[in-house]
């Protein structure tokens, strides 16, 4: 092998290692290149709205997920040591084609309701982290201004059904105003 071929081969090995999605991340992730340092909270090259689903998935894998892994682990390494796609998209993510907000996510009640006050007293730390880090961070990564909780969390309970019907068609009923 020539020197440059060796360099490329090594780079490919490193990339393969970095992309080993199913492998658990090494526990002491210090010393690894930080995704945040390498890429930062910057928007995609082309507007999110204009990206194909395939490009969006690629962007999630290459940038959103690794950066969010770092943010969540920095917040609570024990709880979020193995943070991944599924934490935002839910177990059913492939069935629902990564649609957001995932119906299985924690429901954030509308502001001003007793439910919202209950959330604030039950999850003060989580809410602070969500407000100060996660929500603005996601907005920056997508290049979308005023990103809200509703980007990831449903704001009302899904219709309860005991038997899970596979991919129930969306209701035709108009959404409630506001
Ligand atoms: C921190 C939360 C978070 C993580 C982690 C995350 N995503 Fe996402 N993803 C989102 C949000 C939010 C959207 C929707 C953005 C919007 O349109 O407002 C999205 C959108 C997508 C879309 C586009 C769906 C569509 O139809 O437009 C795909 C595909 C996707 N994610 C795949 C993945 C994969 C694969 C991973 C893991 C490698 C991942 N995501 C990790 C939050 C996350
Ligand atoms: C980019 C996606 C994203 C956004 C935006 C977001 N969250 Fe979250 N939120 C998450 C993820 C991921 C978790 C952890 C889920 C888990 O434990 O697997 C979480 C957890 C929570 C929890 C803890 C729930 C529990 O059962 O432990 C609360 C409360 C919460 N979020 C509230 C909010 C509020 C309020 C906002 C808006 C200010 C918000 N979130 C915005 C992704 C998001």
């Amino acid at each position: 092998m020539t020197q440059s071929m060796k360099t490329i081969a090594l780079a490919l090995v490193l990339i393969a290692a970095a992309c080993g999605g199913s492998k658990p991340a090494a526990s002491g992730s210090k010393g690894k290149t930080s995704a945040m340092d390498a890429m930062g909270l910057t928007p995609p090259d082309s507007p999110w709205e204009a990206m194909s689903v395939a490009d969006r998935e690629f962007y999630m894998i290459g940038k959103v997920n690794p950066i969010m892994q770092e943010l969540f682990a920095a917040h609570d390494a024990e709880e979020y040591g193995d943070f991944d796609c599924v934490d935002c998209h839910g177990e059913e993510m492939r069935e629902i084609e990564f649609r957001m907000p995932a119906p299985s996510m924690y429901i954030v009640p509308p502001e001003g309701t007793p439910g919202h006050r209950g959330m604030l007293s039950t999850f003060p730390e989580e809410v602070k982290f969500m407000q100060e880090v996660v929500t603005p961070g996601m907005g920056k990564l997508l290049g979308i201004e005023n990103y809200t909780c509703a980007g990831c969390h449903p704001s009302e309970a899904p219709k309860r059904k005991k038997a899970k019907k596979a991919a129930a068609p969306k209701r035709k009923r108009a959404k409630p105003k506001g």
Side-chain angles (χ1 to χ4, degrees):
M1 265 204 251
T2 66
Q3 193 55 44
S4 67
M5 276 172 73
K6 276 185 198 155
T7 309
I8 291 168
L10 177 63
L12 290 175
V13 169
L14 291 175
I15 289 166
C19 295
S22 57
K23 255 186 282 166
S27 43
S29 58
K30 297 279 170 231
K32 263 203 321 192
T33 312
S34 149
M36 180 66 107
D37 289 350
M39 296 175 282
L41 293 176
T42 51
D45 292 337
S46 45
W48 178 257
E49 279 308 318
M51 285 164 72
S52 68
V53 175
D55 285 348
R56 288 176 176 186
E57 180 161 9
F58 191 70
Y59 187 72
M60 287 277 150
I61 294 169
K63 187 168 168 189
V64 175
N65 198 49
I67 287 181
M68 284 292 180
Q69 276 173 340
E70 290 179 9
L71 294 178
F72 275 81
H75 170 68
D76 186 341
E78 201 158 311
E79 174 85 17
Y80 299 119
D82 59 353
F83 184 84
D84 211 345
C85 322
V86 67
D87 289 281
C88 284
H89 285 282
E91 295 289 347
E92 73 287 24
M93 61 188 186
R94 300 205 179 273
E95 288 74 17
I96 61 171
E97 296 173 319
F98 296 98
R99 246 187 305 110
M100 290 294 273
S104 59
M105 277 288 269
Y106 172 85
I107 296 161
V108 172
E111 261 182 81
T113 61
H116 194 267
R117 287 189 287 277
M119 173 187 74
L120 294 178
S121 61
T122 312
F123 301 105
E125 302 272 291
E126 289 310 284
V127 172
K128 189 167 183 281
F129 170 57
M130 292 288 147
Q131 286 172 334
E132 293 176 1
V133 179
V134 177
T135 309
M138 192 75 203
K140 287 188 185 135
L141 284 168
L142 296 173
I144 298 176
E145 274 179 51
N146 306 318
Y147 209 70
T148 67
C149 317
C152 297
H153 293 275
S155 49
E156 59 180 45
K159 304 280 171 289
R160 231 163 270 219
K161 280 229 175 93
K162 270 281 149 65
K164 254 206 232 151
K165 299 256 158 67
K170 265 214 185 128
R171 301 225 162 188
K172 283 280 145 65
R173 219 146 37 90
K175 279 197 201 143
K177 304 239 159 63

